[in-house]
Amino acid sequence: DLAALARRAHARLVLGSARLVDRDARLVGLGGGRPIGYDELIVAVGARRAAAYDHGATFDPVATDLRLLARRMHNGDVRSVAIVVPPAVGWTLPAYELALLLRRVAGARAAIALLTPEDTPLHAFGPHVSDAIADLLAGAGVELHTSAYCMPHSRGRVSIRPHLEQLVFDRVISMPVLHGPGLAGLPADRDGFLPTDRRGRVIGAPHVHAAGDATTFPVKQGGLATQEADAAAADVVRALGADVPERQFRPVLRGKLVIDGTPRFLHHPAHGGAGEGSISTSPLWSPAEKLGGRLLTPALRRGGGGLSARPATELESLTL
């Protein structure tokens, strides 16, 4: 409930779609509404999902009918499923979660394959976590193809480069790719993402910050977005005269996988020289929620005032 969140933050909520930023006049143009002026601006508009391929299904955590697929697998109508990670996907954990979930609900009735361009499974978490995940996938009966650059075709065929191997599945589900907002008036890379520094400042745009999936940081994940927001908010209030410590974005990856009903907590300080990643059945952060935000997670956990932590997707509800 954004209205409740705004009230708790003593903020004014204006519903609208940001169309452009006039940096000279310091205005944000809204589609169908009056522009809003600003002294300092934080852009947190997220990214746009898109299908990576012309064939097969594109996974959507809300729209994909996982219950129907699970029933068809359980009944033997679907005997093989491929989960495909396109090359441009930076946060691959949902693909592993989906593969393990489908294995859990289907039992031994269907073959599950995970095809990823990563050199090792969940490569972003480091070699220790990758080795553990590879063992867990093998134990769960999920067939893993790494360094696999895939091209789904019609009738469930998938070509894998560089070896030009071709596999056939009853169902092919690909993870979506993301495109930046391409907000007019702000610098962006060729995919529309906003370049930022460690303090969340949009490079080349004074008085503008950005956080979350709209930025050029390659890994798109909610916990990282809250870390970017911490840095941007601190820099903004310092610019407005508040005496607060500087906070720089130093990414820490946190992921939670449920395997055979047991959660595995994955943790990796991904900034330079921060050490090796960890995996454990015990929580590696607190509160041990999937979204590890310093302020947002405790607020969601407390509930009240319209804030609550409830399963938001069919994937989460099936896991629970």
Side-chain angles (χ1 to χ4, degrees):
D1 186 339
L2 292 179
L5 181 60
R7 285 194 299 272
R8 289 179 60 161
H10 304 287
R12 180 167 63 100
L13 176 65
V14 178
L15 298 180
S17 179
R19 299 298 187 189
L20 60 91
V21 175
D22 185 334
R23 286 183 278 161
D24 294 329
R26 294 202 197 178
L27 293 172
V28 178
L30 302 180
R34 295 177 60 185
I36 294 177
Y38 66 86
D39 294 314
E40 301 288 336
L41 173 65
I42 300 178
V43 179
V45 296
R48 295 176 289 114
R49 293 170 175 263
Y53 308 110
D54 293 332
H55 297 284
T58 299
F59 177 67
D60 184 308
V62 176
T64 302
D65 194 342
L66 291 177
R67 295 186 185 279
L68 175 60
L69 177 59
R71 283 197 299 270
R72 295 193 64 195
M73 294 171 66
H74 192 270
N75 294 336
D77 299 326
V78 173
R79 297 183 178 276
S80 60
V81 177
I83 311 299
V84 175
V85 179
V89 174
W91 180 246
T92 62
L93 187 141
Y96 292 80
E97 185 173 40
L98 178 59
L100 289 165
L101 173 63
L102 292 179
R103 161 57 66 228
R104 182 181 177 189
V105 299
R109 294 176 177 83
I112 311 293
L114 175 60
L115 297 79
T116 175
E118 301 164 287
D119 293 335
T120 57
L122 290 178
H123 183 79
F125 284 92
H128 174 68
V129 173
S130 289
D131 290 345
I133 293 298
D135 291 342
L136 290 169
L137 290 173
V142 174
E143 182 181 339
L144 176 66
H145 297 260
T146 56
S147 301
Y149 293 82
C150 300
M151 178 58 69
H153 304 284
S154 60
R155 299 181 181 179
R157 292 179 297 114
V158 178
S159 296
I160 305 175
R161 293 175 293 167
H163 305 298
L164 299 180
E165 182 180 7
Q166 191 166 109
L167 303 175
V168 180
F169 302 92
D170 290 340
R171 287 289 303 274
V172 176
I173 303 175
S174 301
M175 294 294 109
V177 293
L178 299 180
H179 298 289
L183 198 56
L186 293 181
D189 68 6
R190 63 181 183 180
D191 292 320
F193 294 105
L194 308 178
T196 55
D197 63 17
R198 287 191 175 274
R199 289 174 291 185
R201 297 176 177 179
V202 174
I203 298 170
H207 306 288
V208 180
H209 294 69
D213 291 357
T215 73
T216 53
F217 191 73
V219 183
K220 314 294 186 184
Q221 190 254 353
L224 291 174
T226 68
Q227 296 169 40
E228 292 176 301
D230 265 351
D235 199 60
V236 164
V237 297
R238 283 169 60 87
L240 296 175
D243 183 17
V244 298
E246 180 183 90
R247 298 184 70 92
Q248 293 197 4
F249 175 52
R250 297 173 64 81
V252 177
L253 301 179
R254 298 180 178 94
K256 183 178 176 183
L257 273 177
V258 178
I259 303 172
D260 293 332
T262 302
R264 299 303 198 281
F265 296 92
L266 318 177
H267 181 274
H268 185 212
H271 44 275
E276 181 59 89
S278 304
I279 179 170
S280 174
T281 55
S282 301
L284 297 174
W285 61 90
S286 180
E289 306 291 348
K290 293 188 71 172
L291 175 61
R294 183 173 65 91
L295 300 176
L296 181 60
T297 304
L300 291 173
R301 172 172 272 202
R302 285 194 305 268
L307 295 176
S308 62
R310 59 181 176 81
T313 69
E314 191 167 353
L315 180 60
E316 291 175 341
S317 64
L318 276 178
T319 302
L320 293 173

